[in-house]
């Protein structure tokens, strides 16, 4: 079946530095990917929709200059957390549309990337 | 706006017990409804879905029925196993949206003890 790979799975960085997280679709092309943020004991919050070859669509309240999304190819989307601060520490998850079944889009999720900003 | 509300967890059960995890939603129109499961250290996996009222989604012994009159999509399993221990997320997507954008509930942790 379709697999979405995220890298790195864990990253620790110093405050003020930038961190890039990659989301790759293996063995399939993903024109649309989604980036979520998951807080402890909280739901997944959709941050943005990443479209191959065009600008990402950000959800209300998400700083697009803070969370840079690039979807330069049909198999790779990247999320860069710029000038990271401790409050950016979180679990970031990507997903990709992998099909359509019984009237609904099918999404495949990556295993997530845990960011810790010191 | 659209939203999903799940029962607070964690839910702790003994093996072979009956499971219910409540989920209610608020949405305009006729959304599609989903249950996703997240096992420790893994990504979310689609467990089951229903795309119209009165549809019943089922998979691996889990079931959920799309109840439009009560705006609910409760997850049930007749006999849980230790391997069912995970976090369960209820979610919806607008039927008018073709993007696949999902709105999630807060997740319910299930712990099954031997």
């Amino acid at each position: 079946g379709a697999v979405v790979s995220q890298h790195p799975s864990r990253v620790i960085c110093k405050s003020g530095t930038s961190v890039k997280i990659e989301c790759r679709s293996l063995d399939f092309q993903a024109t649309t990917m989604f980036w979520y943020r998951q807080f402890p004991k909280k739901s997944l919050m959709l941050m943005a929709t990443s479209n191959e070859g065009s600008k990402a669509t950000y959800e209300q309240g998400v700083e697009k200059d803070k969370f840079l999304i690039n979807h330069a190819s049909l198999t790779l989307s990247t999320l860069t957390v710029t000038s990271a601060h401790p409050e950016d520490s979180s679990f970031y998850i990507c997903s990709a549309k992998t099909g359509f079944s019984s009237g609904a889009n099918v999404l495949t999720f990556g295993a997530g990337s845990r960011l810790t900003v010191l | 706006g659209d939203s999903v509300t799940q029962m607070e967890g964690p839910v702790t059960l003994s093996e072979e017990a009956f499971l219910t995890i409540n989920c209610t939603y608020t949405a305009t129109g006729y959304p599609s409804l989903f249950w996703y499961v997240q096992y420790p250290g893994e990504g979310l996996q689609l467990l089951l879905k229903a795309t119209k009222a009165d549809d019943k989604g089922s998979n691996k012994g889990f079931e959920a029925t799309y109840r439009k009159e009560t705006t609910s999509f409760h997850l049930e399993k007749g006999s849980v196993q230790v391997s069912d221990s995970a976090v369960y997320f209820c979610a919806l997507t607008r039927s008018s949206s073709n993007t696949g954008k999902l709105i999630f509930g807060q997740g319910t942790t299930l712990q099954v003890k031997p």
Side-chain angles (χ1 to χ4, degrees), chain A residues 62-113:
Chain A
V62 178
E63 299 176 63
K64 59 182 180 182
D65 295 330
K66 173 76 169 176
F67 300 99
L68 300 179
I69 291 172
N70 184 279
H71 196 156
S73 78
L74 286 170
T75 59
L76 175 64
S77 176
T78 60
L79 168 67
T80 301
V81 183
T82 62
S83 186
H85 288 92
E87 58 266 29
D88 299 323
S89 298
S90 193
F91 196 55
Y92 294 89
I93 303 174
C94 72
S95 69
K97 282 173 60 175
T98 52
F100 191 84
S101 172
S102 301
N105 288 294
V106 177
L107 300 185
T108 298
F109 285 79
S113 300

Side-chain angles (χ1 to χ4, degrees), chain A residues 9 13 15 22-23 32 46 60 87 100 109:
Chain A
S9 58
C13 70
S15 185
E22 295 185 346
C23 179
T32 303
L46 179 64
Q60 191 173 7
E87 58 266 29
F100 191 84
F109 285 79

Side-chain angles (χ1 to χ4, degrees), chain B residues 13-91:
Chain B
L13 297 173
S14 298
E15 208 165 22
E16 299 183 2
F18 184 86
L19 168 71
T20 299
I21 300 178
N22 290 336
C23 170
T24 57
Y25 67 89
T26 301
T28 54
Y30 299 88
S32 294
L33 302 174
F34 306 82
W35 277 100
Y36 280 83
V37 58
Q38 185 178 32
Y39 297 104
E42 298 184 17
L44 275 75
Q45 301 173 25
L46 178 63
L47 181 59
L48 53 84
K49 67 180 186 294
T51 57
K52 61 183 186 295
D54 300 325
D55 266 2
K56 177 186 283 187
S58 60
N59 186 26
K60 299 180 182 179
F62 291 89
E63 293 183 339
T65 301
Y66 189 144
R67 301 287 188 199
K68 185 163 178 62
E69 63 275 14
T70 54
T71 62
S72 65
F73 193 54
H74 304 321
L75 182 68
E76 297 181 335
K77 186 174 185 181
S79 176
V80 293
Q81 305 300 314
V82 173
S83 57
D84 293 326
S85 298
V87 182
Y88 292 82
F89 291 91
C90 186

